[in-house]
Amino acid sequence: MNNKETFKRIPKHIGIIPDGNRRWAVGHNMDKKDGYYFGIDPGFHLYETMIDYGIKEATFYGFTQDNTKRPSNQKAAFIDACIKAVNNLANRDANLLIVGNSVSDVFPKELLKYANKRVKFGKGLININFLVNYDWKWDLNNGINNIASSDISRIDLIIRWGGRRRLSGFLPVQSVYSDIYVIDEYWPDFKTDHFKEALRWYQTTDVTLGG
């Protein structure tokens, strides 16, 4: 890719919180639900960028059980966006793991075949974890020694779009020592420079893991 920078420290696992879809839609004179569709392509631009930089694992926040309390048209829109994203990924090179409460009626039936097990697509160049109908309490209630997300590794860096300074229940066990970088722009306005900006900042942090 063009203008690739060289970094001494590359996080093995990055968490992605793609927030701001609804606010972006309102700012573009659209219905709130329309923002989710415009959040699909940015995910694949980021996917390609992460492969180029040698990222081994990435976890994307799809939707939570709390998100399903939103108006029905918004719920249908973000579920449809998740299905479209996975169907697109199936034509790429990744090892997909979808983690979420697949017993619930809200969990998309189209994604049941990928639920809570890792599936290889193409060359499997990167592990992609996708949180679908995820809830942190559901995750932990599976058992402290075998949480539902136990196949997901510890996260080194979390990048959140949309300006909010919170984790919103994002993998509490794996994010316990994560560095967190916040992008003020909304997720549909993703630019490759956002990712490089986060990696530049990551060079300045130390990894002590409490030691």
Side-chain angles (χ1 to χ4, degrees):
M1 63 182 291
N2 295 328
N3 301 318
K4 181 179 177 182
E5 294 183 31
T6 301
F7 297 100
K8 291 183 178 179
R9 293 179 61 223
I10 294 291
K12 293 179 180 177
H13 184 184
I14 295 180
I16 305 298
I17 303 180
D19 196 25
N21 297 282
R22 294 185 299 172
R23 286 174 283 160
W24 181 90
V26 171
H28 287 76
N29 298 314
M30 301 178 188
D31 192 278
K32 286 183 178 180
K33 67 176 176 60
D34 298 328
Y36 299 112
Y37 172 79
F38 290 92
I40 298 174
D41 282 350
F44 287 96
H45 291 313
L46 178 56
Y47 156 85
E48 293 166 357
T49 302
M50 289 191 295
I51 287 179
D52 201 54
Y53 276 89
I55 306 301
K56 302 300 183 185
E57 184 172 5
T59 297
F60 286 81
Y61 224 166
F63 70 90
T64 69
Q65 291 182 23
D66 284 336
N67 293 155
T68 62
K69 301 172 186 175
R70 294 176 181 174
S72 59
N73 64 343
Q74 293 181 30
K75 183 169 71 172
F78 63 62
I79 289 175
D80 185 62
C82 286
I83 295 169
K84 282 184 169 65
V86 171
N87 287 340
N88 194 330
L89 187 67
N91 297 311
R92 307 294 183 104
D93 299 300
N95 302 307
L96 173 68
L97 172 65
I98 293 181
V99 173
N101 186 354
S102 58
V103 177
S104 166
D105 291 339
V106 179
F107 192 93
K109 292 180 175 58
E110 295 88 341
L111 302 184
L112 282 172
K113 58 186 174 182
Y114 305 122
N116 303 305
K117 61 182 178 183
R118 197 168 294 282
V119 179
K120 183 179 180 180
F121 297 141
K123 299 177 183 177
L125 297 179
I126 182 174
N127 283 357
I128 295 290
N129 311 311
F130 199 29
L131 305 185
V132 175
N133 197 38
Y134 176 84
D135 178 74
W136 67 270
K137 287 174 285 188
W138 165 85
D139 191 354
L140 299 185
N141 284 340
N142 197 65
I144 196 62
N145 293 317
N146 188 29
I147 59 174
S149 61
S150 59
D151 288 336
I152 298 178
S153 68
R154 183 178 64 79
I155 300 172
D156 303 300
L157 172 65
I158 294 173
I159 309 174
R160 177 167 187 148
W161 276 258
R164 304 286 195 239
R165 266 78 176 161
R166 57 177 178 251
L167 285 176
S168 300
F170 184 81
L171 292 175
V173 173
Q174 291 87 344
S175 63
V176 66
Y177 279 117
S178 302
D179 287 306
I180 303 172
Y181 190 79
V182 177
I183 305 284
D184 287 330
E185 285 89 345
Y186 301 142
W187 172 245
D189 285 328
F190 168 83
K191 299 177 180 63
T192 303
D193 280 346
H194 292 162
F195 177 76
K196 292 192 284 187
E197 180 183 309
L199 286 190
R200 287 185 210 114
W201 174 81
Y202 186 70
Q203 308 307 300
T204 70
T205 66
D206 59 348
V207 181
T208 65
L209 301 182

